[in-house]
Amino acid sequence: MRFALLAVLASLASLALCISGCGDSLSRGIVITGDGKVGANNARNQRESAADALRIAMEDDLGPGWAVQVAIEELPIWIPERINDDGYWRWERITASVHITPPTGKQLPADKRAEFEGDARDILLAKLVKKDPALLSFTFQVVAAQAAPVAQVAGRRTYVVQPGDTMADLSTAFYGSPQHWRLIADANPDGIQAGQTVVIPALPAAPAPAPAPAPAP
């Protein structure tokens, strides 16, 4: 179970490179976050790095199509080491939230949710100066992806693709059947990706029924 290793990932995903003599109370060298961004090793970037580490570990465990958002409200403080000039970042208090959006048609099982919530809470507690649960305010939510609205198909529409959407899903939502996915594919030759605005063409009108034959004289 990879998420059980999240504590290790969270501590390694952010690599702080403190350069002697270049740091001050605002910045202490540079930091490389879990997704490869490089910036000043300051409180703001350390907060972003901690959130990124938690998000990346969850997304790696969940797999493609799942969207995870992690937010930490407070900034950490620098705790100097007594023995040398080094130190580390910790929080006096943490207000954090985790929002997970499953792909269309999928759910996060109750046992998996409890596992994720417990592991995330433990990791955040470990980042406090005082490991007191009363200093951690933590919200964990699994939010179902917003379904594509059933459209009036009298004309062309646009739609912002959600994680996990397929052309068959959009065809079902807009036309009432997955069989019209080719219409969406033809209107969006570059494919569909989460966050992209795609064109939903009007459903061609059904041909008028042939007139009934005239009665025999």
Side-chain angles (χ1 to χ4, degrees):
M1 190 270 294
R2 290 189 297 172
F3 193 68
L5 300 177
L6 201 155
V8 176
L9 290 173
S11 63
L12 297 180
S14 170
L15 174 62
L17 304 177
C18 296
I19 305 172
S20 66
C22 77
D24 55 24
S25 61
L26 297 179
S27 178
R28 300 179 181 275
I30 63 173
V31 62
I32 303 174
T33 64
D35 54 3
K37 292 183 289 187
V38 179
N41 183 21
N42 57 26
R44 191 170 300 277
N45 286 337
Q46 281 291 334
R47 177 177 63 182
E48 180 180 349
S49 179
D52 281 347
L54 196 56
R55 172 184 58 79
I56 291 168
M58 288 184 176
E59 289 179 341
D60 284 348
D61 196 331
L62 289 166
W66 292 76
V68 179
Q69 294 179 318
V70 178
I72 299 174
E73 187 172 315
E74 295 86 358
L75 293 172
I77 60 173
W78 179 257
I79 308 295
E81 293 279 7
R82 295 179 179 178
I83 300 176
N84 51 44
D85 293 332
D86 203 355
Y88 51 90
W89 296 96
R90 287 291 184 271
W91 275 260
E92 293 179 306
R93 174 181 295 276
I94 294 179
T95 304
S97 62
V98 173
H99 293 256
I100 298 179
T101 304
T104 302
K106 292 189 177 181
Q107 294 182 343
L108 186 66
D111 58 342
K112 194 72 170 176
R113 172 181 176 139
E115 177 185 302
F116 270 37
E117 185 172 1
D119 286 352
R121 187 181 296 275
D122 288 346
I123 289 165
L124 292 170
L125 277 172
K127 295 182 179 297
L128 290 168
V129 176
K130 297 180 180 179
K131 309 303 186 285
D132 181 355
L135 299 175
L136 173 61
S137 177
F138 179 56
T139 303
F140 187 97
Q141 291 183 320
V142 180
V143 184
Q146 184 176 2
V150 177
Q152 300 295 324
V153 295
R156 162 178 161 147
R157 287 174 173 263
T158 59
Y159 170 73
V160 178
V161 179
Q162 302 300 308
D165 280 348
T166 67
M167 291 186 185
D169 293 332
L170 300 189
S171 175
T172 300
F174 282 91
Y175 306 134
S177 168
Q179 67 180 358
H180 301 296
W181 67 270
R182 177 64 67 182
L183 283 174
I184 299 173
D186 290 343
N188 301 277
D190 295 331
I192 64 173
Q193 297 180 352
Q196 174 187 358
T197 300
V198 295
V199 173
I200 308 295
L203 187 65

